[in-house]
Amino acid sequence: MMNRRMILKRVGQMLVLESILLMLPLIVSIIYREWSCVTSFSATIGVTAALGLLIVLFIKPANEVIYAREGFAIVASSWVFLSLFGALPFFISGEIPNYIDAVFETVSGFTTTGATLVADVEAMSHGMLFWRSFTHWIGGMGVLVLIMAIVPTDSGRSMHIMRAEMAGPVIGKLVPKIKDTAKILYILYLALTVLEFIFLLAGGMPLYDSAVHSLGTAGTGGFGIKADSFGSYSPYLQWVVIVFMYLFSLNFNLYYMLILKKFIPVIKNTELIVYTAVVFISTVIITCSIYPIYNDAHDSIRHSLFQVLSISSTSGFSSADFNTWPSIAKAVLFILMFIGGCAGSTAGGLKMIRVMLLSKTVRRDIGHMLHPRSVSAVKLDGKTVDQNTIQSVSAYFALYVFLIMTTFFFISFEPFDLETNFSAAVSCVNNVGPGFSIVGPMGSYAGYSDISTIVLTFAMLFGRLEIYPLLLALSPRSWFTRSNKRKFGKAN
């Protein structure tokens, strides 16, 4: 049977951590004297901390061994409760009066999607805007990875949690202990965030704006504080964000290798090379297509590169309304929505490494059809990819397409055009944020009904957790059948 007590204890730890993290937007609200927000955050902190502490103190599991099934359940349950309680400040303050809408906004934040139901974002308080962007930063690397980094645990038993929460088909340890791996990831994550904050301040961006946008870029989320997102900021500030959107869309393992001075493996990393090439080619195509609009080479390159990296990194910021761009430019951006960034980054999407493995598998299968007796292996970075990984990627892709189609079907009852609904489904599943037409960069998801809002909320969660954790957590068999411990085993 599923170790429910141990799962509940981990959820309790997550609630306690969330109550501590909520103190930052509380402090922001106090600084700006937004007393209704102070009340909202204080009430949420009290309720969340009380419930979390009760669970942690009084729930005593017989053992805390984490098998694959428990790892998936912990991640899925924690993210759901994280969002349900994280939505309370928006709802209690009345800034998002519908609780379903508040949950959507919170899930959009934690999953680093950046899709919003707020029609007038500039009317929101400083505290709530900070909390929106801070949810990006929390969810970017993963709240449970953060818990592993700061809470004393048996690190050998936590690998299944990291595999369930981190993005990519294969998750490995940087160092022997998983706790130390989590610490390294968060140190790198924090360092890059602070570095961007400094560069934004140096460009004349106000302190508050710099903090909010650094958090949003780090999580590749995209919640802005202005109606035009990044359109009214200077070219310098846009270039800073361009650089960091690229950096945060890369595999964080590469940064650790650079620290260890292993430069050759980084330079020769196939995923890095292919992702950079895709960004470059996409930028060239879009630059050529929008040049007649801006009639300026610098502006055309800047806007095209900004949007290419915003969409491919799934950050969701915008420097211009790409809804008005030529069809070829929008087509390129639409394709990038599916691809996303690199595995092991804070970006969403299918991930470049999966696209590469799928294309290599198709090429191998075509070769085998032409030469039935030939034996060839799928290789990546000079290493043979095992068949289990290839099968896992193929199965994930099938579920991924099914999820998009299902989401699109259920929201198609809305009275919107096909471009709006389909791009909304693709955007939410891939955690991109903006779509096209009504849900474009200057629009919002405010027109959707409560039912469609719930569907899109689950689509974002499925996309961020890469389907399996939430799918297995929703399956009765996961909770009411005996686990095969020989099959799942303990993480080493």
Side-chain angles (χ1 to χ4, degrees), residues 5 24 48 59 71 96 169 251 264 282 463 471 480:
R5 285 179 172 269
L24 272 179
T48 307
I59 298 297
I96 303 180
N251 193 325
I264 301 301
S282 301
L471 189 65
F480 300 109

Side-chain angles (χ1 to χ4, degrees), residues 351-369:
K351 304 296 182 300
M352 182 57 71
I353 193 169
R354 284 199 182 96
V355 175
M356 292 164 58
L357 287 175
L358 285 169
S359 63
K360 285 175 176 288
T361 302
V362 170
R363 187 173 64 179
R364 182 199 64 179
D365 292 346
I366 291 174
H368 185 69
M369 291 172 64

Side-chain angles (χ1 to χ4, degrees), residues 9 22 73 75 82 104 228 340 370 436 455 469:
K9 182 178 179 180
L22 278 161
V75 169
L82 180 78
F104 175 94
D228 64 352
L370 296 173
F436 295 99
V455 170

Side-chain angles (χ1 to χ4, degrees), residues 275 278-283 286 304-305 307-314 329-341 348-352 400 426 430 432 436:
Y275 177 71
V278 168
V279 169
F280 175 77
I281 294 170
S282 301
T283 302
I286 294 178
S304 61
L305 184 56
Q307 291 311 144
V308 164
L309 282 168
S310 178
I311 297 300
S312 63
S313 70
T314 69
K330 292 194 289 185
V332 171
L333 293 178
F334 188 62
I335 293 171
L336 292 175
M337 282 185 181
F338 291 90
I339 298 174
L350 188 59
K351 304 296 182 300
M352 182 57 71
Y400 166 82
V426 172
N430 289 291
V432 176
F436 295 99

Side-chain angles (χ1 to χ4, degrees), residues 139-152:
M141 191 61 68
V143 65
L144 290 164
V145 176
L146 178 58
I147 288 178
M148 282 189 282
I150 62 177
V151 176

Side-chain angles (χ1 to χ4, degrees), residues 9-27:
K9 182 178 179 180
R10 288 303 180 107
V11 172
Q13 290 177 337
M14 182 278 302
L15 290 175
V16 172
L17 177 61
E18 183 175 27
S19 67
I20 296 172
L21 295 172
L22 278 161
M23 291 181 182
L24 272 179
L26 171 63
I27 293 171

Side-chain angles (χ1 to χ4, degrees), residues 160-464:
H160 286 307
I161 292 178
M162 194 166 192
R163 284 174 178 159
E165 193 172 41
M166 293 292 288
V170 179
I171 302 298
K173 292 184 284 187
L174 298 177
V175 290
K177 292 185 178 181
I178 192 66
K179 181 180 177 67
D180 292 337
T181 296
K183 284 182 178 179
I184 291 169
L185 288 173
Y186 259 97
I187 289 171
L188 291 170
Y189 189 44
L190 180 61
L192 284 173
T193 306
V194 172
L195 190 61
E196 181 185 2
F197 175 71
I198 293 171
F199 274 103
L200 290 176
L201 276 179
M205 182 178 278
L207 180 68
Y208 176 82
D209 295 30
S210 299
V212 169
H213 288 113
S214 297
L215 294 172
T217 308
T220 61
F223 275 148
I225 60 175
K226 294 190 176 184
D228 64 352
S229 188
F230 246 85
S232 57
Y233 288 108
S234 69
Y236 166 83
L237 295 175
Q238 291 180 12
W239 278 112
V240 170
V241 173
I242 285 171
V243 170
F244 281 93
M245 284 192 295
Y246 175 75
L247 294 177
F248 282 109
S249 65
L250 303 181
N251 193 325
F252 273 66
N253 290 3
L254 299 179
Y255 298 127
Y256 184 63
M257 292 171 70
L258 288 175
I259 293 173
L260 298 178
K261 297 182 180 180
K262 296 181 178 180
F263 302 114
I264 301 301
V266 174
I267 296 172
K268 292 185 176 181
N269 183 269
T270 309
E271 186 183 27
L272 172 63
I273 294 170
V274 174
Y275 177 71
T276 304
V278 168
V279 169
F280 175 77
I281 294 170
S282 301
T283 302
V284 170
I285 294 172
I286 294 178
T287 299
C288 293
S289 69
I290 67 173
Y291 180 79
I293 298 176
Y294 298 99
N295 201 29
D296 181 88
H298 176 263
D299 287 348
S300 299
I301 293 172
R302 174 166 47 86
H303 287 308
S304 61
L305 184 56
F306 191 102
Q307 291 311 144
V308 164
L309 282 168
S310 178
I311 297 300
S312 63
S313 70
T314 69
S315 294
F317 289 123
S318 57
S319 62
D321 185 2
F322 55 75
N323 252 334
T324 63
W325 287 0
S327 295
I328 183 61
K330 292 194 289 185
V332 171
L333 293 178
F334 188 62
I335 293 171
L336 292 175
M337 282 185 181
F338 291 90
I339 298 174
C342 299
S345 69
T346 60
L350 188 59
K351 304 296 182 300
M352 182 57 71
I353 193 169
R354 284 199 182 96
V355 175
M356 292 164 58
L357 287 175
L358 285 169
S359 63
K360 285 175 176 288
T361 302
V362 170
R363 187 173 64 179
R364 182 199 64 179
D365 292 346
I366 291 174
H368 185 69
M369 291 172 64
L370 296 173
H371 306 283
R373 294 188 179 183
S374 64
V375 177
S376 59
V378 173
K379 292 187 176 182
L380 194 65
D381 290 325
K383 299 178 181 178
T384 300
V385 181
D386 64 89
Q387 192 59 32
N388 288 336
T389 300
I390 294 173
Q391 290 175 351
S392 174
V393 169
S394 300
Y396 177 83
F397 180 69
L399 283 172
Y400 166 82
V401 172
F402 179 76
L403 176 60
I404 291 175
M405 293 300 104
T406 303
T407 304
F408 171 58
F409 172 77
F410 281 111
I411 67 173
S412 290
F413 290 96
E414 300 288 342
F416 302 134
D417 58 87
L418 184 141
E419 185 180 22
T420 295
N421 287 329
F422 190 54
S423 65
V426 172
S427 181
C428 286
V429 170
N430 289 291
N431 304 134
V432 176
F436 295 99
S437 192
I438 296 173
V439 294
M442 303 305 163
S444 73
Y445 289 70
Y448 281 103
S449 66
D450 285 350
I451 294 176
S452 292
T453 299
I454 293 171
V455 170
L456 292 170
T457 300
F458 273 99
M460 290 187 289
L461 281 171
F462 271 108
R464 171 59 181 85

